[in-house]
Amino acid sequence: MSAADLIAREARYGARNYAPLPVVLSHGRGVHLYDVTGKRYLDMMSAYSAASFGHLHPRLVAAIERQLGRLDLVSRAYHTDNLGGFCEDLARLTGLDACLPMNTGAEAVETAIKAARRYGYDRLRIAEDQAEIIVAENNFHGRTTTIVGFSSEASYRRGFGPFAPGFVAVPFGDAAAVEAAIGKQTAAVLVEPIQGEAGVIVPPTGYLADLRRICTRHGILLIFDEVQSGFGRTGRMFAFEHEGARPDGLILGKALGGGLLPVSAFVARRDLMDVFEPGSHGSTFGGNPLAMAVGCEAMHVLQDEDLVERSRKQGELLRDALSLIGHSAIRAVRGKGLWIGVELDPDQVAAKDVCLAMARRGVLTKETHETVIRFAPPLIIEKADVLAAVDVFAAALEDCAPRRQRTIAGCVSA
Ligand SMILES: *Cc1c(COP(=O)(O)O)cnc(C)c1O
C-alpha cells in the first residue's frame, strides 16, 4: 500500500481526532524514524517526551524481552516480584515516600485529584463534597471528562460537559493569584512546572519556590504534573528541582514507559498516599510486571547514561543555535533543557507549514497552538544532530517566509 492509501485508510476507518503530518512511519531506531518509502527523519518530537530514550533503546528492549520470558500480567489481585522495586526506585528518585503506578498520564492525574480530595476531607476537615483544587489557566493534564472540565482550551471542552465542579483556575506563573484563591475548601494546588502543550511556557523564576512556601503556609497540598517535564526533559531529573520545590504529590508518565509501554505513576508523601485503603482506587493494568520491568530499566538507563546532564548541555546548545537564527518571524525562543518552544509570528508564517517544510527536509516535529514549534528530541541526541535540526528549521523558515520577498509561495502544503 502506498503512503497515500495508508493515510486514506486511517481516515476512512479511524476516528479523526488528530491531524497528523502526512508522514507514514514504519521503523525507528535511536533518534531516527523511517517512513514506508524508506525516507529517514530526525525525531525532534519524541512522542511528547514518551520516547525520551530514543526508539527501541537496546537496554529497554532487553528488559521487556527478559520479562516476557517470565511473566506478563496478573492484575493487582496478587503480589509480584518487581512492583516493590519499581516503587522503591521511583520514591528514591523523587525524594518522596510512596508510589501508585497507573498507565496513562491522565489516569495518574485522576489519581492525584482523588488523593488530594480525600486528604482534604480526612485531614484538612473540608466540608463534604466541597473540596477545591487550584489549577492554572492554559493547563494540560490529559483528556478525561474531569480533566478537560478544568481546561481553558475551548477545543478540548466543547460538547463534553457537564463537567465536574471543584476546580478554580488562576493565571499561570502568578503565585500571588494562587494565594488569593486559597479558601477554607482548598485542598491542593495542581500545576505543570513548565506548561508543555500551552507552548513550552516557563514561569517566572521563583514561581515554584513561592508555590511551595504558600502551600506549606496554608497547610494545603502542592502537586506537580511532571508527566512531560519529568525524567530529565528540562535538564534536571524533575523540573521542580530547578527551585528546590519538592511537591507533596508528583504525577509522572510518558518517559517512564521508555517509549515501549504506557507507564504512569502518582508519587507522594506517605501520609498523602495513605488516604487510599484497599478498594478505594485501582487499575487492572497499573503496576503490571511488564510495565514495572520497563519503568525500572528506564530509570536506570536515565542515570547510567547521564541523560539528565546531556539534556542540560545539548539543550543549551539547541537554544543558543535557535536564538542565533535571527529570522524576523521568530518572536521568542524559550524552554529548559531539551525542551524548547519557538514562537512564530502568525502574520509571517504558519507553524504548521514550517513543520511540513521541516518534514520534507527530514526533521519531524509538531506545532502547538498554531504559533509554536516545539523541539523536544530524545535525550540521547548528539551535538551534530542538534545542529542539523536547527539548520533544517532555518531552511524551512526560508521556504515558508523568505527573508527578501516575504511570501508563502515556496511553502506548498502537499
Ligand atoms: C501528556 C500529558 C498528560 C496526559 O498524559 P496521557 O498519557 O496522554 O494521558 C498529562 N499531563 C501532562 C503535563 C502531559 O504533558
Side-chain angles (χ1 to χ4, degrees), residues 48 103-107 109 140-143 192 194 196-197 225-229 251 253-254 262 264 339:
Y48 301 90
N103 312 286
T104 65
E107 288 170 290
V109 173
F140 183 84
H141 297 287
R143 301 290 198 160
E192 302 153 83
I194 291 179
E197 294 315 293
D225 179 348
E226 294 227 31
V227 168
Q228 199 163 159
S229 62
I251 303 161
K254 292 195 169 121
S264 68
W339 202 24

mmCIF file of all heavy atoms in Angstrom, residues 48 103-107 109 140-143 192 194 196-197 225-229 251 253-254 262 264 339, ligand 1:
data_model
loop_
_atom_site.group_PDB
_atom_site.id
_atom_site.type_symbol
_atom_site.label_atom_id
_atom_site.label_comp_id
_atom_site.label_asym_id
_atom_site.label_seq_id
_atom_site.Cartn_x
_atom_site.Cartn_y
_atom_site.Cartn_z
ATOM 1 N N TYR A 48 6.047 13.456 22.374
ATOM 2 C CA TYR A 48 5.707 14.324 23.510
ATOM 3 C C TYR A 48 6.504 13.928 24.756
ATOM 4 O O TYR A 48 5.989 13.983 25.867
ATOM 5 C CB TYR A 48 4.207 14.268 23.825
ATOM 6 C CG TYR A 48 3.327 14.678 22.680
ATOM 7 C CD1 TYR A 48 2.881 13.736 21.757
ATOM 8 C CD2 TYR A 48 2.942 16.003 22.496
ATOM 9 C CE1 TYR A 48 2.068 14.103 20.688
ATOM 10 C CE2 TYR A 48 2.134 16.380 21.441
ATOM 11 C CZ TYR A 48 1.701 15.428 20.541
ATOM 12 O OH TYR A 48 0.898 15.790 19.494
ATOM 13 N N ASN A 103 -1.298 3.806 34.236
ATOM 14 C CA ASN A 103 -0.866 3.546 32.856
ATOM 15 C C ASN A 103 -0.649 4.846 32.093
ATOM 16 O O ASN A 103 0.464 5.219 31.798
ATOM 17 C CB ASN A 103 -1.879 2.648 32.160
ATOM 18 C CG ASN A 103 -2.226 1.450 33.024
ATOM 19 O OD1 ASN A 103 -1.427 0.531 33.149
ATOM 20 N ND2 ASN A 103 -3.374 1.481 33.684
ATOM 21 N N THR A 104 -1.726 5.554 31.802
ATOM 22 C CA THR A 104 -1.583 6.814 31.079
ATOM 23 C C THR A 104 -1.406 7.970 32.060
ATOM 24 O O THR A 104 -1.720 7.853 33.251
ATOM 25 C CB THR A 104 -2.838 7.101 30.232
ATOM 26 O OG1 THR A 104 -3.941 7.297 31.118
ATOM 27 C CG2 THR A 104 -3.124 5.955 29.282
ATOM 28 N N GLY A 105 -0.925 9.083 31.508
ATOM 29 C CA GLY A 105 -0.755 10.276 32.324
ATOM 30 C C GLY A 105 -2.071 10.733 32.922
ATOM 31 O O GLY A 105 -2.142 11.085 34.107
ATOM 32 N N ALA A 106 -3.123 10.725 32.126
ATOM 33 C CA ALA A 106 -4.423 11.201 32.606
ATOM 34 C C ALA A 106 -4.891 10.400 33.819
ATOM 35 O O ALA A 106 -5.444 10.959 34.773
ATOM 36 C CB ALA A 106 -5.459 11.137 31.493
ATOM 37 N N GLU A 107 -4.642 9.098 33.814
ATOM 38 C CA GLU A 107 -5.044 8.281 34.966
ATOM 39 C C GLU A 107 -4.259 8.658 36.213
ATOM 40 O O GLU A 107 -4.787 8.610 37.331
ATOM 41 C CB GLU A 107 -4.779 6.802 34.684
ATOM 42 C CG GLU A 107 -5.697 6.163 33.696
ATOM 43 C CD GLU A 107 -5.163 4.781 33.351
ATOM 44 O OE1 GLU A 107 -4.123 4.694 32.688
ATOM 45 O OE2 GLU A 107 -5.772 3.794 33.778
ATOM 46 N N VAL A 109 -3.111 11.641 36.805
ATOM 47 C CA VAL A 109 -3.680 12.927 37.227
ATOM 48 C C VAL A 109 -4.974 12.679 38.005
ATOM 49 O O VAL A 109 -5.204 13.263 39.070
ATOM 50 C CB VAL A 109 -3.935 13.846 36.006
ATOM 51 C CG1 VAL A 109 -4.690 15.101 36.426
ATOM 52 C CG2 VAL A 109 -2.615 14.220 35.328
ATOM 53 N N PHE A 140 -2.498 21.750 30.692
ATOM 54 C CA PHE A 140 -2.838 20.495 30.009
ATOM 55 C C PHE A 140 -2.531 19.345 30.956
ATOM 56 O O PHE A 140 -1.385 19.138 31.348
ATOM 57 C CB PHE A 140 -2.060 20.296 28.701
ATOM 58 C CG PHE A 140 -2.502 19.029 28.010
ATOM 59 C CD1 PHE A 140 -3.623 19.030 27.187
ATOM 60 C CD2 PHE A 140 -1.854 17.826 28.223
ATOM 61 C CE1 PHE A 140 -4.082 17.856 26.585
ATOM 62 C CE2 PHE A 140 -2.299 16.634 27.627
ATOM 63 C CZ PHE A 140 -3.412 16.668 26.802
ATOM 64 N N HIS A 141 -3.581 18.596 31.322
ATOM 65 C CA HIS A 141 -3.380 17.466 32.227
ATOM 66 C C HIS A 141 -3.968 16.177 31.665
ATOM 67 O O HIS A 141 -4.072 15.189 32.392
ATOM 68 C CB HIS A 141 -4.006 17.765 33.589
ATOM 69 C CG HIS A 141 -3.377 18.935 34.314
ATOM 70 N ND1 HIS A 141 -2.128 18.872 34.892
ATOM 71 C CD2 HIS A 141 -3.824 20.201 34.521
ATOM 72 C CE1 HIS A 141 -1.838 20.040 35.452
ATOM 73 N NE2 HIS A 141 -2.843 20.872 35.229
ATOM 74 N N GLY A 142 -4.414 16.188 30.404
ATOM 75 C CA GLY A 142 -4.969 14.963 29.834
ATOM 76 C C GLY A 142 -6.381 15.181 29.327
ATOM 77 O O GLY A 142 -6.849 16.321 29.238
ATOM 78 N N ARG A 143 -7.074 14.072 29.036
ATOM 79 C CA ARG A 143 -8.311 14.157 28.255
ATOM 80 C C ARG A 143 -9.534 13.532 28.902
ATOM 81 O O ARG A 143 -10.532 13.344 28.214
ATOM 82 C CB ARG A 143 -8.074 13.481 26.906
ATOM 83 C CG ARG A 143 -6.945 14.089 26.086
ATOM 84 C CD ARG A 143 -7.289 15.450 25.562
ATOM 85 N NE ARG A 143 -6.393 15.808 24.458
ATOM 86 C CZ ARG A 143 -6.675 16.739 23.558
ATOM 87 N NH1 ARG A 143 -7.798 17.422 23.641
ATOM 88 N NH2 ARG A 143 -5.819 17.005 22.594
ATOM 89 N N GLU A 192 1.538 22.316 36.188
ATOM 90 C CA GLU A 192 2.735 21.845 35.497
ATOM 91 C C GLU A 192 3.849 22.858 35.828
ATOM 92 O O GLU A 192 3.615 24.064 35.704
ATOM 93 C CB GLU A 192 2.531 21.858 33.978
ATOM 94 C CG GLU A 192 1.373 21.031 33.453
ATOM 95 C CD GLU A 192 0.839 21.600 32.132
ATOM 96 O OE1 GLU A 192 1.409 21.301 31.076
ATOM 97 O OE2 GLU A 192 -0.157 22.355 32.172
ATOM 98 N N ILE A 194 6.418 23.581 34.071
ATOM 99 C CA ILE A 194 6.528 24.297 32.803
ATOM 100 C C ILE A 194 5.344 23.808 31.985
ATOM 101 O O ILE A 194 5.100 22.601 31.918
ATOM 102 C CB ILE A 194 7.855 23.972 32.077
ATOM 103 C CG1 ILE A 194 9.051 24.570 32.839
ATOM 104 C CG2 ILE A 194 7.828 24.491 30.627
ATOM 105 C CD1 ILE A 194 10.410 24.274 32.218
ATOM 106 N N GLY A 196 3.647 22.523 29.004
ATOM 107 C CA GLY A 196 4.100 21.941 27.740
ATOM 108 C C GLY A 196 3.178 22.226 26.575
ATOM 109 O O GLY A 196 3.519 22.971 25.652
ATOM 110 N N GLU A 197 1.965 21.672 26.626
ATOM 111 C CA GLU A 197 1.047 21.808 25.489
ATOM 112 C C GLU A 197 0.653 23.261 25.250
ATOM 113 O O GLU A 197 0.294 23.638 24.141
ATOM 114 C CB GLU A 197 -0.200 20.954 25.706
ATOM 115 C CG GLU A 197 0.085 19.460 25.706
ATOM 116 C CD GLU A 197 0.997 19.043 24.575
ATOM 117 O OE1 GLU A 197 0.576 19.133 23.420
ATOM 118 O OE2 GLU A 197 2.146 18.653 24.836
ATOM 119 N N ASP A 225 2.359 18.277 38.084
ATOM 120 C CA ASP A 225 2.186 17.341 36.974
ATOM 121 C C ASP A 225 3.456 17.411 36.133
ATOM 122 O O ASP A 225 3.662 18.355 35.375
ATOM 123 C CB ASP A 225 0.950 17.732 36.148
ATOM 124 C CG ASP A 225 0.733 16.791 34.957
ATOM 125 O OD1 ASP A 225 1.648 16.000 34.636
ATOM 126 O OD2 ASP A 225 -0.347 16.870 34.335
ATOM 127 N N GLU A 226 4.317 16.412 36.317
ATOM 128 C CA GLU A 226 5.572 16.350 35.552
ATOM 129 C C GLU A 226 5.517 15.203 34.536
ATOM 130 O O GLU A 226 6.532 14.583 34.247
ATOM 131 C CB GLU A 226 6.771 16.215 36.494
ATOM 132 C CG GLU A 226 6.982 17.432 37.373
ATOM 133 C CD GLU A 226 8.444 17.886 37.406
ATOM 134 O OE1 GLU A 226 9.160 17.709 36.399
ATOM 135 O OE2 GLU A 226 8.856 18.414 38.453
ATOM 136 N N VAL A 227 4.323 14.940 34.024
ATOM 137 C CA VAL A 227 4.184 13.878 33.023
ATOM 138 C C VAL A 227 5.099 14.157 31.827
ATOM 139 O O VAL A 227 5.737 13.248 31.301
ATOM 140 C CB VAL A 227 2.708 13.740 32.576
ATOM 141 C CG1 VAL A 227 2.579 12.858 31.347
ATOM 142 C CG2 VAL A 227 1.872 13.160 33.715
ATOM 143 N N GLN A 228 5.186 15.430 31.446
ATOM 144 C CA GLN A 228 6.032 15.764 30.300
ATOM 145 C C GLN A 228 7.393 16.328 30.725
ATOM 146 O O GLN A 228 8.403 16.096 30.077
ATOM 147 C CB GLN A 228 5.311 16.754 29.372
ATOM 148 C CG GLN A 228 5.904 16.785 27.981
ATOM 149 C CD GLN A 228 5.012 17.428 26.913
ATOM 150 O OE1 GLN A 228 5.481 17.845 25.881
ATOM 151 N NE2 GLN A 228 3.718 17.504 27.141
ATOM 152 N N SER A 229 7.427 17.062 31.826
ATOM 153 C CA SER A 229 8.672 17.746 32.223
ATOM 154 C C SER A 229 9.622 16.844 32.998
ATOM 155 O O SER A 229 10.786 17.183 33.179
ATOM 156 C CB SER A 229 8.343 18.985 33.061
ATOM 157 O OG SER A 229 7.665 18.625 34.254
ATOM 158 N N ILE A 251 3.107 13.792 39.697
ATOM 159 C CA ILE A 251 2.469 12.966 38.668
ATOM 160 C C ILE A 251 3.469 12.740 37.546
ATOM 161 O O ILE A 251 4.017 13.700 36.997
ATOM 162 C CB ILE A 251 1.209 13.680 38.126
ATOM 163 C CG1 ILE A 251 0.238 13.992 39.269
ATOM 164 C CG2 ILE A 251 0.535 12.821 37.054
ATOM 165 C CD1 ILE A 251 -0.777 15.070 38.909
ATOM 166 N N GLY A 253 4.734 10.208 34.000
ATOM 167 C CA GLY A 253 4.230 9.329 32.935
ATOM 168 C C GLY A 253 5.184 9.370 31.764
ATOM 169 O O GLY A 253 6.397 9.454 31.935
ATOM 170 N N LYS A 254 4.638 9.355 30.572
ATOM 171 C CA LYS A 254 5.384 9.465 29.327
ATOM 172 C C LYS A 254 6.740 8.747 29.355
ATOM 173 O O LYS A 254 6.778 7.541 29.156
ATOM 174 C CB LYS A 254 5.491 10.926 28.920
ATOM 175 C CG LYS A 254 4.096 11.455 28.521
ATOM 176 C CD LYS A 254 4.100 12.761 27.773
ATOM 177 C CE LYS A 254 2.711 13.036 27.209
ATOM 178 N NZ LYS A 254 2.095 14.259 27.665
ATOM 179 N N PRO A 262 2.680 2.312 28.011
ATOM 180 C CA PRO A 262 2.202 3.404 28.868
ATOM 181 C C PRO A 262 2.441 3.052 30.324
ATOM 182 O O PRO A 262 1.895 2.071 30.831
ATOM 183 C CB PRO A 262 0.701 3.482 28.549
ATOM 184 C CG PRO A 262 0.341 2.191 27.935
ATOM 185 C CD PRO A 262 1.589 1.515 27.446
ATOM 186 N N SER A 264 2.578 5.173 34.035
ATOM 187 C CA SER A 264 2.497 6.440 34.753
ATOM 188 C C SER A 264 2.466 6.138 36.239
ATOM 189 O O SER A 264 2.358 4.976 36.644
ATOM 190 C CB SER A 264 1.242 7.217 34.344
ATOM 191 O OG SER A 264 0.072 6.555 34.804
ATOM 192 N N TRP A 339 13.959 20.977 25.714
ATOM 193 C CA TRP A 339 12.527 21.235 25.629
ATOM 194 C C TRP A 339 12.357 22.714 25.303
ATOM 195 O O TRP A 339 12.300 23.558 26.190
ATOM 196 C CB TRP A 339 11.860 20.906 26.955
ATOM 197 C CG TRP A 339 10.399 20.633 26.859
ATOM 198 C CD1 TRP A 339 9.698 20.214 25.774
ATOM 199 C CD2 TRP A 339 9.456 20.720 27.938
ATOM 200 N NE1 TRP A 339 8.375 20.036 26.108
ATOM 201 C CE2 TRP A 339 8.212 20.326 27.420
ATOM 202 C CE3 TRP A 339 9.558 21.072 29.283
ATOM 203 C CZ2 TRP A 339 7.060 20.284 28.203
ATOM 204 C CZ3 TRP A 339 8.413 21.029 30.063
ATOM 205 C CH2 TRP A 339 7.175 20.644 29.537
HETATM 206 C C1 LIG B 1 0.681 14.256 28.097
HETATM 207 C C2 LIG B 1 0.334 14.852 29.394
HETATM 208 C C3 LIG B 1 -0.673 14.314 30.218
HETATM 209 C C4 LIG B 1 -1.561 13.187 29.782
HETATM 210 O O1 LIG B 1 -0.885 12.004 29.525
HETATM 211 P P1 LIG B 1 -1.599 10.851 28.664
HETATM 212 O O2 LIG B 1 -0.652 9.692 28.777
HETATM 213 O O3 LIG B 1 -1.759 11.359 27.276
HETATM 214 O O4 LIG B 1 -2.907 10.582 29.318
HETATM 215 C C5 LIG B 1 -0.876 14.882 31.462
HETATM 216 N N1 LIG B 1 -0.154 15.935 31.864
HETATM 217 C C6 LIG B 1 0.812 16.483 31.108
HETATM 218 C C7 LIG B 1 1.589 17.638 31.633
HETATM 219 C C8 LIG B 1 1.083 15.984 29.837
HETATM 220 O O5 LIG B 1 2.002 16.554 29.067
#
